[in-house]
Amino acid sequence: MGYNIGLRLIDEFLAKSGINACQDFRDTCEVIAKVGLRMFLGISGEVVMWNKEMTACSLVLPENPLAEYVELPANLTNRLWYSNLICGVIRGCLEQLQLRVECRFEKDALNGTLVHFKSRI
Amino acid sequence: MAGVVSLFILNRNGSLIYSLETQGSSQLSSNDKIRLSSTFHGDDVSCISAIAAQISPVKRSGGPFSFLQTTGIRTLDADTFRLQCFHTATGVKIFCVMLPPYVDADILLRQVYSHYSDYVLKNPFYELDMPIRCEPFEKEVQRSLSEFQGR
């Protein structure tokens, strides 16, 4: 679902933000965290934990508006990534820009800790 | 009289997905429009924009993401008309043909891109890369065009 949203969202992001092409993956992640997330979710993420080759990083979201009033039932805690939509959106958007990435959740506040997801080129 | 004569939108593969003609002075048939606008497009080797990118003397600044920088024809000035194109990072090209006196249609092209993202992409029945048949989009483009002409 997120992937299809992402395919269409990227044009809106580019049209509304007017940002020029990023120079490298680091820029891309920063733009996603600071401009993209703020534009569509109203939150500003932080990019941390770069690996040595600069091809993987983690985005930390201070709060997750999608999960604001959500509580997972006991049988789904630690089994359902409720906000996996966001990963799909990022993957869809970047694919339209000819960049194949993998994006998954590491930790989710619904499961008990801070939202934290990992993006790898 | 000055002004934009026609507006075209191409998808990533170079096919025409939207065309608009205002004064209708020389009506091209829809096949002609498709053929001519695909000739302008550039990811294939045999097309004008791609050739322009290759013969451009300006060196592309390096870095792993240089393929995203938009190359290709931005403005083509001739004695009787001007063709101005807006390339997006996703491969969509929006271009317009206008008569002298020439003005910079960049604002109009960006507005059309913004309408595309609002009315076309958000339409759940619209399939990506297909011809655009969305009424709100066409209305908004007409409105932007008349505002632009009126300036």
Side-chain angles (χ1 to χ4, degrees), chain A residues 37-65:
Chain A
L37 289 180
R38 172 166 293 285
M39 197 185 262
F40 294 108
L41 291 178
I43 53 176
S44 201
E46 244 181 70
V47 184
V48 298
M49 281 178 40
W50 281 99
N51 72 347
K52 245 193 325 205
E53 303 95 32
M54 303 294 268
T55 57
C57 70
S58 288
L59 255 91
V60 181
L61 273 60
E63 54 184 4
N64 184 0

Side-chain angles (χ1 to χ4, degrees), chain B residues 76-92:
Chain B
L76 189 78
D77 273 339
D79 282 337
T80 46
F81 73 95
R82 166 189 260 203
L83 182 108
Q84 192 161 354
C85 180
F86 177 58
H87 300 255
T88 66
T90 47
V92 175

Side-chain angles (χ1 to χ4, degrees), chain B residues 12-46:
Chain B
R12 272 171 304 154
N13 308 319
S15 323
L16 186 68
I17 55 178
Y18 182 70
S19 76
L20 175 70
E21 284 192 0
T22 53
Q23 283 133 39
S25 44
S26 67
Q27 289 278 14
L28 292 172
S29 78
S30 40
N31 278 344
D32 278 344
K33 283 188 223 169
I34 293 174
R35 200 171 33 86
L36 291 174
S37 48
S38 299
T39 312
F40 177 77
H41 159 77
D43 290 346
D44 297 332
V45 190
S46 59

Side-chain angles (χ1 to χ4, degrees), chain B residues 9-11 15-19 116 126 129-133:
Chain B
I9 302 186
L10 298 183
N11 67 7
S15 323
L16 186 68
I17 55 178
Y18 182 70
S19 76
Y116 169 75
Y126 172 71
D129 294 341
M130 287 282 116
I132 297 176
R133 301 255 179 274

Side-chain angles (χ1 to χ4, degrees), chain B:
Chain B
M1 191 174 58
V4 177
V5 173
S6 50
L7 186 83
F8 298 95
I9 302 186
L10 298 183
N11 67 7
R12 272 171 304 154
N13 308 319
S15 323
L16 186 68
I17 55 178
Y18 182 70
S19 76
L20 175 70
E21 284 192 0
T22 53
Q23 283 133 39
S25 44
S26 67
Q27 289 278 14
L28 292 172
S29 78
S30 40
N31 278 344
D32 278 344
K33 283 188 223 169
I34 293 174
R35 200 171 33 86
L36 291 174
S37 48
S38 299
T39 312
F40 177 77
H41 159 77
D43 290 346
D44 297 332
V45 190
S46 59
C47 306
I48 295 181
S49 266
I51 295 174
Q54 287 176 17
I55 66 177
S56 160
V58 176
K59 191 163 161 343
R60 287 220 287 214
S61 55
F65 283 14
S66 58
F67 60 81
L68 271 186
Q69 284 166 10
T70 50
T71 54
I73 296 180
R74 290 230 177 111
T75 315
L76 189 78
D77 273 339
D79 282 337
T80 46
F81 73 95
R82 166 189 260 203
L83 182 108
Q84 192 161 354
C85 180
F86 177 58
H87 300 255
T88 66
T90 47
V92 175
K93 293 182 196 9
I94 305 177
F95 59 96
C96 68
V97 178
M98 58 187 120
L99 299 175
Y102 301 141
V103 286
D104 187 14
D106 195 50
I107 295 188
L108 174 70
L109 297 174
R110 282 178 196 274
Q111 263 183 353
V112 171
Y113 185 41
S114 170
H115 292 320
Y116 169 75
S117 72
D118 282 337
Y119 297 99
V120 178
L121 294 180
K122 292 189 182 159
N123 181 346
F125 300 111
Y126 172 71
E127 288 173 40
L128 284 180
D129 294 341
M130 287 282 116
I132 297 176
R133 301 255 179 274
C134 307
E135 210 190 286
F137 174 70
E138 291 176 25
K139 269 203 316 235
E140 286 299 312
V141 168
Q142 288 281 16
R143 199 163 62 84
S144 295
L145 198 59
S146 39
E147 264 174 38
F148 180 74
Q149 309 272 50
R151 287 204 286 110

Side-chain angles (χ1 to χ4, degrees), chain A residues 1 12 20 35 42-43 54 68 78 81 85-86 98-99 104-106 109-111 121:
Chain A
M1 256 169 49
E12 177 174 1
N20 296 323
V35 187
I43 53 176
M54 303 294 268
E68 219 168 304
N78 293 322
W81 294 117
L85 197 81
I86 304 182
Q98 326 288 338
L99 224 67
R104 63 171 197 276
F105 263 85
E106 298 271 292
L110 287 178
N111 294 340
I121 195 173

Side-chain angles (χ1 to χ4, degrees), chain A residues 86-117:
Chain A
I86 304 182
C87 295
V89 172
I90 293 184
R91 189 167 64 89
C93 286
L94 292 181
E95 189 155 310
Q96 289 293 83
L97 299 177
Q98 326 288 338
L99 224 67
R100 185 168 300 138
V101 293
E102 251 176 56
C103 197
R104 63 171 197 276
F105 263 85
E106 298 271 292
K107 298 183 209 169
D108 188 348
L110 287 178
N111 294 340
T113 47
L114 265 186
V115 178
H116 198 147
F117 60 95

